[in-house]
Amino acid sequence: MPAQAYAGKECVCQLRKGICDQSCVQGMLDTPFYIACLRLSGRRCVVVGGGDVGLEKVEGLLACDGEVTLIAPDAIEPLAQLAREGSIRWERREYAGAADLEGVFMVIAATGDTDVNVAVFDDAERRAMLVNVVDVPPLCNFILPAIIRTGPLAIAISTAGASPALAKRIRDEIAGEYGEPYARLALLLNEVRGWAKATLPTYQDRKAFFESIVNGEPDPVELLRRRDEAAVRDLIAAARQSYQPV
């Protein structure tokens, strides 16, 4: 249920105002979010809710190698298939409370039941763990941006929870601009990170080295758009030569 649907009803957010006046929603817009990329590989993540939104969240966690448990009495067929093939664990029941979060790194509530969503948030907050209640920013201690992924390149767009639809539009508009050539350049630059760390003595030296390639002439991105990877490797080799110790 979106946050706006709580207006005039009993307050369920951390402000505990009695009757919801939507002040928490405005507070979210005024909150500066600390942007971080989480390593989920091997970490236990729980999604509560077996519908379309639950599927979207499960797929996002699997894409980052999370160890996913779905809690839902029923689930749509794509989720059931993920469970049958062993990609996720499916607990076919209602959310049972705090015990379901034992040893869990992150939980996402994606149900249409307000009471369940609030319970998930409260249980997670008491454990100081990551929790997101879909479409209810005040019941989240982290929000999920719209993501563009191409190889190692990931670009996140956030509206601080104000409009996920707008974030997705921005994502779609820039996806074509920052795609495969940028991802390929990231991989080529990663190949020389070890050399740079071992050879260039300071952070500023390493920064200047990589910026001389990324912002140099000819433009490595344009070269990769023309599929001239050899020319980019030549640029990197020339930059290495110029930064060799005297």
Side-chain angles (χ1 to χ4, degrees):
M1 180 185 294
Q4 290 75 8
Y6 289 99
K9 299 180 181 179
E10 181 182 356
C11 176
V12 298
C13 79
Q14 59 270 38
L15 299 182
R16 294 295 189 260
K17 285 198 157 190
I19 299 299
C20 177
D21 64 3
Q22 292 291 282
S23 58
C24 57
V25 176
Q26 184 57 47
M28 290 290 290
L29 299 183
D30 296 335
T31 299
F33 282 89
Y34 185 77
I35 305 298
C37 297
L38 301 176
R39 180 178 294 180
L40 297 185
S41 182
R43 294 187 182 273
R44 292 184 58 199
C45 304
V46 166
V47 174
V48 183
D52 290 331
V53 178
L55 174 63
E56 177 187 343
K57 304 311 174 186
V58 165
E59 289 178 335
L61 294 170
L62 289 177
C64 296
D65 201 27
E67 187 178 301
V68 181
T69 296
L70 173 69
I71 298 177
D74 301 294
I76 61 175
E77 176 55 29
L79 284 169
Q81 176 59 37
L82 289 172
R84 285 194 295 269
E85 70 188 29
S87 295
I88 66 173
R89 177 183 176 186
W90 179 13
E91 297 281 347
R92 303 188 188 198
R93 55 175 175 78
E94 300 285 352
Y95 175 71
D100 283 337
L101 305 184
E102 196 68 36
V104 172
F105 178 71
M106 172 193 298
V107 59
I108 299 175
T111 83
D113 188 319
T114 298
D115 291 337
V116 172
N117 290 341
V118 172
V120 171
F121 174 78
D122 286 341
D123 291 340
E125 277 283 276
R126 281 193 289 270
R127 284 159 175 72
M129 61 180 287
L130 293 170
V131 55
N132 178 281
V133 176
V134 176
D135 280 343
V136 191
L139 294 182
C140 303
N141 58 29
F142 77 98
I143 58 176
L144 295 166
I147 301 290
I148 301 165
R149 293 187 189 277
T150 307
L153 181 66
I155 302 174
I157 301 97
S158 172
T159 59
S163 177
L166 178 58
K168 289 178 181 178
R169 172 177 172 171
I170 297 169
R171 176 198 65 190
D172 294 343
E173 288 181 356
I174 69 174
E177 177 67 21
Y178 299 98
E180 195 276 334
Y182 287 86
R184 185 59 191 154
L185 180 58
L187 290 172
L188 293 173
L189 294 173
N190 185 63
E191 292 178 2
V192 293
R193 285 185 65 196
W195 171 88
K197 189 171 183 179
T199 306
L200 306 179
T202 70
Y203 167 79
Q204 289 300 329
D205 290 331
R206 294 188 289 274
K207 178 181 177 183
F209 168 74
F210 284 110
E211 288 185 351
S212 72
I213 300 169
V214 172
N215 300 320
E217 291 293 338
D219 182 350
V221 172
E222 288 303 319
L223 291 173
L224 288 170
R225 281 180 174 146
R226 300 199 296 265
R227 302 188 181 279
D228 193 353
E229 184 174 311
V232 177
R233 290 187 178 276
D234 288 343
L235 285 178
I236 294 172
R240 287 181 60 169
Q241 185 64 36
S242 68
Y243 276 92
Q244 289 287 352
V246 178

